[in-house]
Amino acid sequence: MPRKLAAGNWKMNGLRASLSELETLAARHSDASVDILICPPATLIGACQNTLFDVGGQDCHTAESGAHTGDISAQMLADAGATYVITGHSERRADHGETDEIVAAKSDAAYKAGLIAVICVGETLDEREAGTTLDIIDGQLAGSIPEGATADNTVIAYEPVWAIGTGKVPTLEQIAEVHAHIRAKLQARFSDGADMRILYGGSVKGSNAADIFGVPHVDGALVGGASLKADDFSPIISALEAS
Ligand code: PGA
């Protein structure tokens, strides 16, 4: 059984002063029985090195290097100390027009640099209301996960777009349906698909974490807002440890 994963996505938040939150977190969870990942802004990756948690980027370019002003390659993230990178977050898909094809190329670049890709999928509210959630997820899984994916180099994050940063959370039945569906798809395509970790993301908080972690095939969480403060992230880590 792969270790469960509590991942924090700081998005475009965090200055050097924020690193004290990680010191608090490290002091509280020094003997954590789950993997803990922090994805700070790229400016803080170098300063984030800590023996307790892994550090990840929030995005990478498809190329190793070149004339791409402002972009960061997977190799650079690895060089700065990252071991993971998020690819295909819905904010990147929406704000930067990232297609499944681009997400797959970024995930492939992550593998080449020795990083674990946290590949994000999820439906919009319109898609859920139209009853097309599972079709959308199928298309994203098929298009965004490269052939070389394994349980060691890939984590899938199911993040309903309408649940991100909104305080709205799907019902446990809705989460269960999508996670079981993703598991079946991963097992059908990859020989070790049973061991690929599937995270839930979207308005995870200390108050709902235990219920969400009780859902079958939920192997952890990708947490945005509640990962910024140790007081908010710590109960989520504890809930995952207890699950
Ligand atoms: P949230 O974000 O926890 O603030 O909803 C989750 C994410 O976007 O990864």
Side-chain angles (χ1 to χ4, degrees):
M1 275 288 284
R3 296 232 305 176
K4 294 180 177 174
L5 175 62
N9 171 14
W10 282 13
K11 309 191 179 186
M12 200 173 72
N13 300 290
L15 302 172
R16 273 181 295 170
S18 320
L19 297 173
S20 62
E21 296 294 332
L22 297 181
E23 285 165 26
T24 307
L25 208 60
R28 282 187 205 164
H29 296 278
S30 55
D31 56 355
S33 60
V34 298
D35 289 343
I36 301 171
L37 166 66
I38 305 292
C39 298
T43 48
L44 292 180
I45 287 175
C48 259
Q49 306 307 315
N50 176 296
T51 50
L52 177 70
F53 32 77
D54 292 305
V55 182
Q58 299 175 8
D59 175 52
C60 65
H61 198 274
T62 56
E64 244 179 54
S65 61
H68 304 288
T69 302
D71 281 317
I72 295 180
S73 73
Q75 195 185 33
M76 290 168 179
L77 293 173
D79 187 53
T83 50
Y84 285 76
V85 61
I86 298 170
T87 57
H89 189 281
S90 64
E91 287 154 15
R92 302 270 337 159
R93 290 179 187 261
D95 296 355
H96 300 273
E98 292 191 6
T99 60
D100 288 331
E101 200 181 4
I102 292 172
V103 176
K106 290 187 171 197
S107 304
D108 206 43
Y111 302 157
K112 291 200 175 87
L115 299 179
I116 299 169
V118 181
I119 305 176
C120 303
V121 298
E123 82 285 2
T124 63
L125 189 56
D126 282 352
E127 290 162 346
R128 175 155 288 273
E129 286 174 349
T132 57
T133 296
L134 298 183
D135 293 335
I136 294 296
I137 300 294
D138 284 351
Q140 291 175 336
L141 291 174
S144 304
I145 309 178
E147 278 314 316
T150 68
D152 289 331
N153 66 18
T154 302
V155 174
I156 304 300
Y158 168 54
E159 299 205 300
V161 178
W162 51 276
I164 295 176
T166 58
K168 292 189 190 130
V169 183
T171 64
L172 298 179
E173 290 73 23
Q174 288 171 326
I175 296 175
E177 180 189 31
V178 178
H179 277 247
H181 185 80
I182 292 174
R183 175 68 69 214
K185 289 287 166 186
L186 295 177
Q187 283 187 267
R189 185 170 161 204
F190 300 102
S191 58
D192 60 357
D195 294 331
M196 250 178 219
R197 292 179 288 184
I198 309 173
L199 310 183
Y200 168 78
S203 296
V204 176
K205 298 189 278 280
S207 55
N208 60 22
D211 285 344
I212 293 170
F213 295 147
V215 174
H217 304 296
V218 173
D219 303 311
L222 181 54
V223 183
S227 71
L228 294 170
K229 297 272 177 240
D231 284 346
D232 295 331
F233 199 29
S234 179
I236 296 172
I237 296 168
S238 298
L240 188 59
E241 290 187 292
S243 70

